[in-house]
Amino acid sequence: MDGAGGPGEGPAQEALQSLSRRLQVQEKEMELVKAALAEALRLLRLQVPPTSLQDLGTPTPTRDSSPAAPPGLPPTCSPSLVSRGTQTETEVEMEPSLGPPGLSNGPPAPQGASEEPSGTQSEGGGSSSSGTGSPGPPGILRLVQPPQRTDTPRRNSSSSSPSERPRQKLSRKAASSANLLLRSGSTESRGGKDPLSSPGGPGSRRSNYNLEGISVKMFLRGRPITMYIPSGIRSLEELPSGPPPETLSLDWVYGYRGRDSRSNLFVLRSGEVVYFIACVVVLYRPGGGPGGPGGGGQRHYRGHTDCVRCLAVHPDGVRVASGQTAGVDKDGKPLQPVVHVWDSETLLKLQEIGLGAFERGVGALAFSVADQGAFLCVVDDSNEHMLSVWDCGRGTKLAEIKSTNDSVLAVGFSPRDSSCIVTSGKSHVHFWTWSGGAGLPGCGTLTRKQGVFGKYKKPKFIPCFVFLPDGDILTGDSEGNILTWGRSLSDSRTPGRGGAKETYGIVAQAHAHEGSIFALCLRRDGTVLSGGGRDRRLVQWGPGLVALQEAEIPEHFGAVRAIAEGPGSELLVGTTKNALLRGDLAQGFSPVIQGHTDELWGLCTHPFQNRFLTCGHDRQLCLWDGEGHALAWSIDLKETGLCADFHPSGAVVAVGLNTGRWLVLDTETREIVSDITDGNEQLSVVRYSPDGLYLAIGSHDNMIYIYSVSSDGAKSSRFGRCVGHSSFITHLDWSKDGNFIMSNSGDYEILYWDVAGGCKLLRNRYESRDREWATYTCVLGFHVYGVWPDGSDGTDINSLCRSHNERVVAVADDFCKVHLFQYPCARAKAPSLVYGGHGSHVTSVRFTHDDSHLVSLGGKDASIFQWRVLGAGGAGPAPATPSRTPSLSPASSLDV
């Protein structure tokens, strides 16, 4: 090629000639492929009658008991589409039979040897970094060129000569091309529907059933995930198709939302204490015992669809108003904030107020007192903090006004005059005059008078106030002062607007606490209680703000958030560390409800007691008594705990932290008996083997660390590492014999490991299809793939747990719901029973040792729900008979 052309002409001509040469080579290759394809079709015609090509796609009910043939394949020679390790290549494979000399089994593969190139994808679709492949079922014939010698080399065999490799490559191409023709024929015989291709975008969850019953395939984010069907399942149609007969009933809620909310603790006329956490309003009768208003325990109002933020109790002591925040549903559509007015005796909703009228959430509520609770005042969380007055009986809005751009923390009607409303919050106290407009919707007006601090220091926040019997108002502020506001005649020198003839001004000040005052409570005897933040003191004040008595809340319970008066001298105190205390000023206080204060992730249940252990971002490790509904003990981990598991003896528990460090603690003495670090990435799962001889630790460094464990669980020594995942470990389970592990990773891989054999990755996953697992917490696998909803992006399911009797599987999803499915759940679009109550993503679920209860963790709502399992049919595995319950689509799943 000469260089006489213009600039750039030489490289362009060279590229053009290169493309021309490549095109000629490809044309020659296509001729070779066509020739090989013709030869392959000729051989197929010799072996298979023409009529059988029309029926290749019809699964046969006949099963072959020969060990050389995988279950589900017919005894006659017929092509089958078997998903192999690459999950992109479909091959024509034959059953062993007498046929033309061009078909040969080849020499048997050595035990554990791979039939695929290194770097092929794992069962989950990710590329295995260890270079191990994933062959399909053994004993299946492959279409190859007729050999001229007695020993036919395996595909990819290193013994093949250079001249033979192109012929083998063309043979594979011919087989693949022939298979495409066969698929086309079987599609036409079934009306043009291809069973191996289903609609859906790359982000959808799709499942495909292999024609011969060998495997199923689903897709997450476009990644194919192949799962082999156990030999004991003749057809997917025989598996249960309906929701499970077992149901869940909310038995107990651990925790109280005192960390970031107010107006959250009251005592009803029945003596029950009402408070909220997540989406549930709890009615608690101190003293324990079974549920119900007469016997103690807990009852629950569960009408809300998102987190409850505030409460108000009607003057009759029976009706309750609760306001929820705005949220989104699982499709991303906004859920509007609303106020529910409900009956605390029947737990029935009486009125729904303000749907579509509030923004972001409901921040504060108050019933009127002077007119027997006929009206409800609401302040929302919009930028203008809209103040509105509603008719409780009709649910109509009577008046509305923009209150302030600053946060509003409290609202209340004057007990003497319902036309007087007070709000307080950031740097303000506002006195509102409401004219009802003859009760006509929207005809009322609200006018504001701003509280003037004058010579007194203006505080940053006024979190609380209370009305005194004589009409004065006490406010508690962030400076630790209690201010007394008294009525006085307005004059021209008084700033503020409004038509009221009287206004409020400060008449007295008392320094009550070091730090902010979070709560004020008027007692039945006329005295006032104040609760401090920084000093954690409860102080009782008499007339003239004279201190009468005080008590201090222990530091580990936090500051005082709310105060409610119980029977006699009894007091209920809510704290900023989500604890509910009961006692009095003389005897002190003890906890009756406790909870975590930050996001929860770690959960495990005791192997033979109704106890469970939790840990999370608040660095607390807590052991709970499921029968007594109480905290048994808690310790400070100093670091974030993300996972935990009991040793089968119950004597010790392993806890994984976010720094790669893991601890083993004695459950009786709470002492740390082992402290080991593996890598510097967070640990996502720890799991003891069923016999307690091994401990597996899944890390975000993509490895599973295996430790040998002493009989008492106190000592551990490194046994090996399972290396092969290409992303972080998310879940793992041990086989019942304690020799094997099944694991999932962040890129949707499913891998199997021979731990007893040296932590080796099992290359042939088909051989693990019948292995029995001691637990089933992996979210990817044949037995549970039906729990995945359509359109899933792979992060919709956070946790999964099979019951010990192997009847049901519980699922924790990313949309605040707990699901209950039948087990095995191996049918696409499997229906479930759906249970709400959590206000955040549900991070974990676990059954107790006897399957009597299910425990679920809320993420950011820091709640722990204990569900009672109803309708269980007793011990033992579930029968394999199909359910007669009609199949439901995910859209028609039963919300309970």
Side-chain angles (χ1 to χ4, degrees):
M1 180 174 177
D2 56 55
E9 184 176 346
Q13 288 291 338
E14 183 176 304
L16 185 60
Q17 291 183 7
S18 175
L19 289 174
S20 177
R21 288 194 299 268
R22 290 175 57 186
L23 181 60
Q24 293 176 2
V25 171
Q26 289 178 356
E27 288 176 350
K28 293 179 181 178
E29 289 180 351
M30 289 299 299
E31 292 296 330
L32 292 174
V33 170
K34 291 178 181 179
L37 178 59
E39 177 66 13
L41 291 176
R42 185 183 66 80
L43 294 175
L44 286 174
R45 290 191 190 99
L46 292 176
Q47 177 65 25
V48 183
T51 55
S52 5
L53 291 175
Q54 304 279 333
D55 304 322
L56 287 174
T58 306
T60 174
T62 308
R63 297 181 61 85
D64 188 6
S65 59
S66 171
L73 288 179
T76 60
C77 178
S78 63
S80 69
L81 305 179
V82 180
S83 300
R84 305 301 295 269
T86 60
Q87 300 184 350
T88 58
E89 186 178 337
T90 309
E91 302 181 4
V92 177
E93 303 192 350
M94 302 289 180
E95 285 289 341
S97 63
L98 296 176
L103 296 175
S104 172
N105 257 333
Q111 182 67 25
S114 172
E115 294 185 355
E116 298 178 356
S118 62
T120 55
Q121 287 183 322
S122 69
E123 185 171 343
S127 175
S128 175
S129 60
S130 66
T132 53
S134 109
I140 298 180
L141 289 171
R142 294 176 303 283
L143 188 63
V144 297
Q145 289 282 11
Q148 301 298 326
R149 50 197 177 93
T150 56
D151 53 337
T152 304
R154 283 193 304 119
R155 184 160 63 105
N156 294 333
S157 172
S158 59
S159 61
S160 300
S161 66
S163 61
E164 292 173 337
R165 290 173 185 169
R167 293 169 56 192
Q168 294 176 2
K169 184 176 180 180
L170 289 176
S171 173
R172 293 198 302 273
K173 289 184 177 180
S176 180
S177 302
N179 195 18
L180 290 175
L181 295 177
L182 291 174
R183 283 179 57 185
S184 176
S186 64
T187 301
E188 293 173 356
S189 67
R190 290 193 300 276
K193 183 176 180 181
D194 187 350
L196 291 184
S197 61
S198 61
S204 64
R205 195 278 294 158
R206 298 179 291 157
S207 62
N208 302 317
Y209 177 45
N210 179 266
L211 294 180
E212 307 300 340
I214 297 298
S215 65
V216 294
K217 181 185 292 186
M218 62 180 285
F219 292 82
L220 289 176
R221 291 191 176 223
R223 282 178 174 263
I225 303 171
T226 302
M227 295 155 285
Y228 290 112
I229 303 174
S231 60
I233 298 178
R234 300 176 59 90
S235 169
L236 296 184
E237 299 302 320
E238 73 183 25
L239 296 176
S241 60
E246 291 83 356
T247 60
L248 299 180
S249 173
L250 187 56
D251 179 45
W252 198 267
V253 177
Y254 299 84
Y256 152 83
R257 186 165 183 170
R259 175 188 53 176
D260 60 352
S261 66
R262 295 167 178 81
S263 302
N264 56 11
L265 182 64
F266 299 92
V267 178
L268 302 175
R269 187 180 67 183
S270 63
E272 291 174 297
V273 181
V274 58
Y275 60 93
F276 58 82
I277 183 171
C279 305
V280 177
V281 183
V282 180
L283 294 88
Y284 167 69
R285 178 179 292 275
Q298 283 186 357
R299 297 187 298 140
H300 310 96
Y301 176 74
R302 296 172 54 200
H304 287 282
T305 56
D306 214 296
C307 287
V308 182
R309 294 303 307 272
C310 53
L311 287 176
V313 175
H314 194 274
D316 63 11
V318 175
R319 282 175 282 177
V320 178
S322 50
Q324 75 174 48
T325 188
V328 294
D329 62 11
K330 66 178 182 178
D331 298 321
K333 297 180 181 178
L335 297 174
Q336 296 175 325
V338 69
V339 174
H340 288 188
V341 179
W342 46 279
D343 190 311
S344 63
E345 294 179 348
T346 63
L347 299 181
L348 297 178
K349 181 170 64 176
L350 305 176
Q351 192 70 256
E352 192 174 80
I353 292 178
L355 184 64
F358 309 128
E359 291 185 20
R360 297 183 184 171
V362 179
L365 291 170
F367 280 104
S368 61
V369 180
D371 45 23
Q372 291 79 46
F375 306 108
L376 181 70
C377 185
V378 183
V379 181
D380 72 5
D381 285 332
S382 64
N383 290 337
E384 297 83 10
H385 296 94
M386 300 299 294
L387 172 68
S388 55
V389 180
W390 299 76
D391 186 317
C392 294
R394 300 176 182 177
T396 56
K397 181 165 58 179
L398 304 178
E400 184 179 41
I401 193 173
K402 297 178 181 179
S403 64
T404 176
N405 288 332
D406 294 323
S407 58
V408 178
L409 304 178
V411 64
F413 282 93
S414 169
R416 304 172 64 181
D417 182 6
S418 294
S419 65
C420 178
I421 300 172
V422 179
T423 61
S424 71
K426 183 179 180 181
S427 302
H428 76 271
V429 177
H430 290 164
F431 304 95
W432 301 86
T433 300
W434 167 52
S435 59
L440 298 178
C443 294
T445 60
L446 286 160
T447 56
R448 182 183 71 181
K449 279 281 189 179
Q450 185 168 335
V452 180
F453 290 89
K455 64 179 181 179
Y456 299 97
K457 181 180 179 181
K458 188 175 183 179
K460 292 182 178 180
F461 290 94
I462 299 95
C464 55
F465 63 84
V466 66
F467 290 93
L468 296 179
D470 60 3
D472 289 347
I473 299 173
L474 298 182
T475 60
D477 61 40
S478 55
E479 302 296 325
N481 297 322
I482 297 178
L483 300 178
T484 304
W485 300 74
R487 285 180 178 268
S488 61
L489 292 176
S490 61
D491 54 39
S492 59
R493 294 173 298 176
T494 304
R497 299 188 306 273
K501 295 182 179 179
E502 292 183 332
T503 185
Y504 281 90
I506 300 175
V507 298
Q509 173 182 287
H511 187 69
H513 293 271
E514 296 297 327
S516 183
I517 299 174
F518 285 159
L520 291 173
C521 175
L522 178 66
R523 304 196 69 173
R524 288 185 290 267
D525 59 7
T527 61
V528 174
L529 289 169
S530 64
R534 185 185 307 168
D535 61 9
R536 307 184 313 280
R537 291 165 54 236
L538 272 175
V539 184
Q540 184 178 10
W541 304 90
L545 290 179
V546 177
L548 303 178
Q549 197 175 5
E550 69 175 64
E552 184 174 336
I553 302 299
E555 182 178 2
H556 61 274
F557 293 130
V560 177
R561 175 63 76 190
I563 309 169
E565 190 176 21
S569 62
E570 182 179 280
L571 298 174
L572 281 303
V573 178
T575 73
T576 57
K577 289 192 175 180
N578 293 355
L580 187 60
L581 312 180
R582 179 187 181 193
D584 56 40
L585 296 175
Q587 302 295 327
F589 294 86
S590 59
V592 290
I593 297 292
Q594 291 178 266
H596 284 271
T597 59
D598 208 341
E599 189 170 355
L600 293 176
W601 280 95
L603 169 66
C604 61
T605 53
H606 197 279
F608 49 84
Q609 297 177 359
N610 283 327
R611 291 187 164 200
F612 58 92
L613 187 138
T614 57
C615 57
H617 288 206
D618 61 358
R619 303 182 178 184
Q620 297 295 310
L621 181 69
C622 299
L623 181 67
W624 304 89
D625 182 358
E627 293 182 353
H629 302 137
L631 179 66
W633 54 257
S634 68
I635 64 170
D636 188 357
L637 293 172
K638 308 297 183 183
E639 296 176 13
T640 298
L642 297 177
C643 50
D645 193 39
F646 279 100
H647 187 269
S649 67
V652 297
V653 63
V655 183
L657 308 179
N658 66 332
T659 58
R661 179 171 164 241
W662 56 276
L663 312 173
V664 178
L665 295 94
D666 188 299
T667 56
E668 293 297 328
T669 65
R670 311 176 209 174
E671 294 180 354
I672 297 176
V673 298
S674 184
D675 186 341
I676 301 175
T677 300
D678 284 308
N680 55 8
E681 299 283 343
Q682 70 182 48
L683 305 180
S684 51
V685 55
V686 294
R687 186 85 70 237
Y688 282 101
S689 61
D691 51 15
L693 298 181
Y694 295 107
L695 173 64
I697 301 164
S699 172
H700 270 228
D701 64 7
N702 304 355
M703 287 186 282
I704 302 174
Y705 299 90
I706 308 296
Y707 281 79
S708 296
V709 181
S710 61
S711 58
D712 59 357
K715 296 181 180 180
S716 305
S717 60
R718 173 75 73 84
F719 178 80
R721 294 186 307 171
C722 297
V723 181
H725 273 293
S726 54
S727 185
F728 58 90
I729 312 302
T730 58
H731 308 82
L732 65 84
D733 291 292
W734 286 90
S735 62
K736 289 186 177 181
D737 59 12
N739 293 328
F740 300 91
I741 283 178
M742 169 176 58
S743 58
N744 293 168
S745 62
D747 60 350
Y748 322 125
E749 285 182 322
I750 310 172
L751 297 184
Y752 301 92
W753 310 87
D754 182 359
V755 175
C759 301
K760 296 178 181 178
L761 175 63
L762 295 179
R763 299 166 181 258
N764 193 340
R765 292 185 313 280
Y766 181 79
E767 295 179 350
S768 298
R769 71 194 188 282
D770 290 330
R771 189 160 285 121
E772 296 184 344
W773 303 101
T775 58
Y776 212 118
T777 61
C778 286
V779 298
L780 295 173
F782 170 78
H783 295 83
V784 296
Y785 85 91
V787 307
W788 287 89
D790 277 338
S792 175
D793 65 354
T795 63
D796 294 339
I797 294 179
N798 298 315
S799 177
L800 176 150
C801 183
R802 182 193 66 193
S803 62
H804 296 86
N805 60 20
E806 302 184 15
R807 294 179 179 274
V808 293
V809 58
V811 171
D813 73 13
D814 227 24
F815 310 107
C816 316
K817 297 294 189 290
V818 174
H819 298 254
L820 204 63
F821 293 87
Q822 287 205 66
Y823 181 87
C825 185
R827 300 187 68 171
K829 299 182 180 181
S832 67
L833 301 178
V834 186
Y835 299 88
H838 285 289
S840 177
H841 53 289
V842 186
T843 56
S844 188
V845 285
R846 290 292 183 270
F847 285 95
T848 55
H849 73 101
D850 57 358
D851 294 331
S852 62
H853 292 84
L854 176 75
V855 181
S856 61
L857 300 185
K860 292 187 178 297
D861 64 24
S863 64
I864 305 172
F865 286 10
Q866 181 174 310
W867 307 83
R868 186 179 300 276
V869 181
L870 304 176
T881 56
S883 171
R884 297 185 179 272
T885 308
S887 180
L888 302 175
S889 67
S892 62
S893 294
L894 306 180
D895 285 293
V896 182

